[in-house]
Amino acid sequence: MKILTFGQTGQLARALKRAQPKTVELIQLSHQQVDITQPQLIDEALAFYRPDIIINCAAYTDVEKAQINPVAAMQINALAVEYMAKAASHYGIKLIQLSTDYVFDGRSSTPYSVTQKPSAINAYGQSKLLAEETLLSYQSALFCIVRTSWLYHHSGNNFVTTMLKLMTQSHNQQTIGSSADNPIKVVNDQTGSPTMVDDFARFLWKLCSQKQWSAIYHWSNSGKCTWYEFAQEIKTQGIALGLLPQSIYLQPITSEQYASIVNRPAFSVLDTRLSHTLAIPKPWQQQLAQCLNELVLSKV
């Protein structure tokens, strides 16, 4: 089986490489190799490599910047996917489009099912939703959408690495988190499911081996928490593993108190039950522990 990913350097593309099955030939194309905003270049890449499946790992993921520059977000997250869909359909190639919990408005109090109607409330979510609508319009058995949430790893740019960096510095006087008067402030009224990116990659590899797909899948680690609760767990486990100093001060705040131009869903937990025939998700706390243990081993 030959798999091609658009996107090579992002955390998911790297996770797919780490979890690559021995039976798979994996081709990963960077932005420098193929500019996905140019439909002719996508067509040429597919004609040359002729993969069995495309996994689109290329995305404009900076939510704040997307709000400032929605045109750029739309070009990469939506228009490029339209180009991929057209070319993939022409060559009879399967396409997995990765999407996000941010296609939902957050007004629900129960996990979002794959059949619930999305309604994005920020530019990033709207760009990813438009990509979904484009793929669904083909009504093609070749295409599927996989939504996930709160991806992290112990490398790259994500919530876990950001928190570890801030907490590591907190033993120095006058740095954020070093005292009750200067805490690390973390939003406590947005709820979701943290997902270790390697788990998501393993799910995607299982999905690739299926002969038939559903139109939409949801995948995340199990359980839910707020960003503040996530940070508290990073702190607790990090101290226990010797990654962090003992004295770290965290303070829960509201979304209104957090300086941001972006509206984010207050509740974005995904109902993953339809994906359990492929893989049973593990509790997010357990997978955070695995991730942090891997970080410890990487330092040895």
Side-chain angles (χ1 to χ4, degrees), residues 259-287:
S260 175
I261 60 172
V262 180
N263 289 323
R264 291 172 169 82
F267 183 91
S268 61
V269 179
L270 301 173
D271 183 340
T272 64
R273 285 177 294 177
L274 289 178
S275 298
H276 292 183
T277 54
L278 295 178
I280 302 296
K282 297 175 181 177
W284 69 266
Q285 299 94 328
Q286 176 183 324
Q287 297 313 97

Side-chain angles (χ1 to χ4, degrees), residues 107-124:
R107 294 178 182 175
S108 178
S109 58
T110 57
Y112 285 97
S113 73
V114 296
T115 58
Q116 280 180 264
K117 184 175 176 60
S119 179
I121 58 173
N122 57 52
Y124 167 70

Side-chain angles (χ1 to χ4, degrees), residues 50-257:
R50 292 297 177 110
D52 298 297
I53 302 172
I54 302 161
I55 304 176
N56 181 25
C57 297
Y60 194 113
T61 57
D62 190 314
V63 180
E64 298 276 338
K65 287 183 179 177
Q67 202 68 27
I68 297 168
N69 194 351
V71 173
M74 280 291 181
Q75 284 178 327
I76 296 170
N77 291 344
L79 285 177
V81 176
E82 182 178 344
Y83 303 149
M84 287 178 204
K86 185 176 181 179
S89 182
H90 174 74
Y91 291 109
I93 298 169
K94 290 183 171 182
L95 170 61
I96 297 175
Q97 168 62 15
L98 306 177
S99 197
T100 171
D101 55 329
Y102 275 31
V103 298
F104 295 108
D105 60 18
R107 294 178 182 175
S108 178
S109 58
T110 57
Y112 285 97
S113 73
V114 296
T115 58
Q116 280 180 264
K117 184 175 176 60
S119 179
I121 58 173
N122 57 52
Y124 167 70
Q126 288 160 359
S127 67
K128 297 295 281 187
L129 180 53
L130 182 56
E132 289 190 7
E133 292 169 349
T134 297
L135 284 193
L136 293 172
S137 71
Y138 276 80
Q139 297 183 320
S140 174
L142 292 173
F143 302 159
C144 77
I145 295 159
V146 187
R147 298 180 184 131
T148 190
S149 62
W150 296 22
L151 289 179
Y152 69 88
H153 188 250
H154 61 70
S155 64
N157 296 317
N158 56 72
F159 185 78
V160 169
T161 56
T162 298
M163 285 296 109
L164 287 173
K165 183 177 180 180
L166 288 172
M167 292 178 191
T168 301
Q169 297 169 347
S170 69
H171 67 282
N172 296 323
Q173 292 298 316
Q174 298 183 337
T175 58
I176 187 170
S178 61
S179 70
D181 295 327
N182 188 24
I184 299 170
K185 298 178 180 179
V186 189
V187 170
N188 197 36
D189 58 2
Q190 295 172 20
T191 299
S193 299
T195 304
M196 188 173 74
V197 71
D198 286 22
D199 286 344
F200 186 45
R202 284 187 281 269
F203 171 78
L204 291 174
W205 284 127
K206 290 185 178 180
L207 183 61
C208 286
S209 68
Q210 303 302 301
K211 291 183 178 180
Q212 293 182 316
W213 289 341
S214 297
I216 303 173
Y217 294 88
H218 285 173
W219 178 260
S220 67
N221 286 139
S222 63
K224 61 184 180 180
C225 63
T226 66
W227 291 112
Y228 173 73
E229 291 166 341
F230 192 11
Q232 284 280 24
E233 188 67 19
I234 294 166
K235 170 186 169 180
T236 299
Q237 292 194 20
I239 290 173
L241 289 169
L243 288 169
L244 297 171
Q246 292 286 339
S247 55
I248 300 168
Y249 294 86
L250 303 178
Q251 178 185 323
I253 60 171
T254 66
S255 296
E256 289 184 353
Q257 292 173 302

